[in-house]
Amino acid sequence: MAGHSKFKNIMHRKGAQDKKRSNLFSKLSREITVAAKMGTPDPDMNPRLRLAVNTAKGQSMPKDNIQRAIDKAAAADGENYEEVRYEGYGPGGSAIIVETLTDNRNRTATAVRTAFSKNGGNLGTEGSVAHGFERVGLIEYPADAGDEDTVLEAAMESGADDIESSEDGHTIWTAPEELHGVSSELEKALGEAKEVKLAWKPNLTVDMDEKGAGTLLKLIDTLDDDDDVQTVWGNYAISDEVMEKLDA
């Protein structure tokens, strides 16, 4: 299993994203509703719904909100969302994958295209950058879930493929089809995870300079602010030195 990596930068500034609680809860609710509609409303019998509920709990979403999102799936007048993936290029030669849940393809496509064009990027066609990523399962635990050896042992026993630990927390990787099983085993050993989801992990990363990173983060923030956008993935890496300059 591998050690440390720069992937914490690839998922953009989680701290900044987590401050937008209402926006985050809205996105989590949408995923829960879609997952419940696609299968049974029982998380124990619906792996995708269980993952969505676990992620919501990891983000401290109230139980009442979670239940309302599940109940909404059974409402006859509920919105019908579809999953649409957009791919494109950001500043500095970075590759970006945008996952959305939308009830209006035209609105979402226009918003995503505009975000790219106004922030140094270009929207491509589906498949234009995905070949540079691997589809994997992602499980995140906070640093206080255990020390590196404890989490490593739990990950290995659960059947995980890889683990990366840092002062920010623990990131555990699995095969996509093993995500539900591995997360369930880890929960027994470490408690509920902060996040459990399918991810796009880049095969290679692109180091960003200060100028490129600044524009790129504006692009990601613009995409994150869109209600239809669920997750933004990229193959970029931003050094601590560059981040300090940008945050100054």
Side-chain angles (χ1 to χ4, degrees):
M1 291 194 175
H4 307 278
S5 82
K6 298 179 181 177
F7 192 79
K8 62 186 177 68
N9 283 329
I10 295 169
M11 295 182 67
H12 52 270
R13 296 172 294 178
K14 300 283 289 183
Q17 183 191 32
D18 288 350
K19 291 177 183 176
K20 305 172 185 177
R21 305 307 292 174
S22 61
N23 189 24
L24 179 61
F25 286 171
S26 174
K27 294 175 188 287
L28 291 170
S29 293
R30 188 175 293 195
E31 169 61 22
I32 291 170
T33 300
V34 169
K37 270 192 172 185
M38 293 177 67
T40 171
D42 181 359
D44 291 331
M45 302 296 291
N46 183 337
R48 177 168 174 171
L49 178 57
R50 178 172 171 77
L51 296 180
V53 169
N54 283 351
T55 295
K57 288 180 178 178
Q59 296 292 347
S60 302
M61 186 171 172
K63 290 183 178 179
D64 289 347
N65 293 39
I66 294 173
Q67 190 57 50
R68 278 199 299 272
I70 294 175
D71 294 341
K72 191 175 180 181
D77 59 347
E79 301 94 332
N80 288 312
Y81 297 109
E82 61 177 323
E83 296 174 286
V84 184
R85 187 178 81 230
Y86 298 93
E87 302 177 29
Y89 296 93
S94 57
I96 306 294
I97 294 177
V98 183
E99 294 180 310
T100 71
L101 285 173
T102 179
D103 57 357
N104 186 323
R105 273 179 175 253
N106 290 336
R107 178 192 66 223
T108 306
T110 298
V112 172
R113 184 178 295 107
T114 300
F116 271 86
S117 63
K118 287 188 175 182
N119 294 282
N122 292 289
L123 187 62
T125 57
E126 185 171 334
S128 58
V129 304
H131 58 82
F133 292 76
E134 180 184 3
R135 193 62 161 158
V136 294
L138 169 66
I139 304 167
E140 288 194 310
Y141 274 94
D144 60 11
D147 60 33
E148 186 171 354
D149 289 340
T150 299
V151 177
L152 174 62
E153 182 178 355
M156 291 179 68
E157 291 183 354
S158 71
D161 290 341
D162 204 353
I163 176 174
E164 298 163 1
S165 294
S166 72
E167 60 184 17
D168 298 320
H170 309 280
T171 300
I172 298 161
W173 305 103
T174 77
E177 64 274 10
E178 300 293 334
L179 180 58
H180 178 60
V182 171
S183 64
S184 296
E185 289 301 310
L186 283 171
E187 188 173 327
K188 297 175 185 176
L190 303 174
E192 289 185 356
K194 180 180 180 182
E195 194 157 31
V196 180
K197 67 198 308 180
L198 288 171
W200 292 97
K201 185 179 182 183
N203 298 322
L204 295 171
T205 57
V206 176
D207 290 321
M208 304 296 295
D209 60 21
E210 184 178 351
K211 181 180 179 181
T215 306
L216 174 65
L217 291 176
K218 288 180 182 178
L219 167 60
I220 292 169
D221 286 342
T222 300
L223 290 167
D224 272 339
D225 286 341
D226 191 297
D227 289 341
D228 295 337
V229 173
Q230 290 296 102
T231 321
V232 181
W233 304 97
N235 71 342
Y236 57 88
I238 304 173
S239 69
D240 291 339
E241 291 77 13
V242 170
M243 285 299 296
E244 287 173 5
K245 291 178 181 178
L246 292 173
D247 290 336

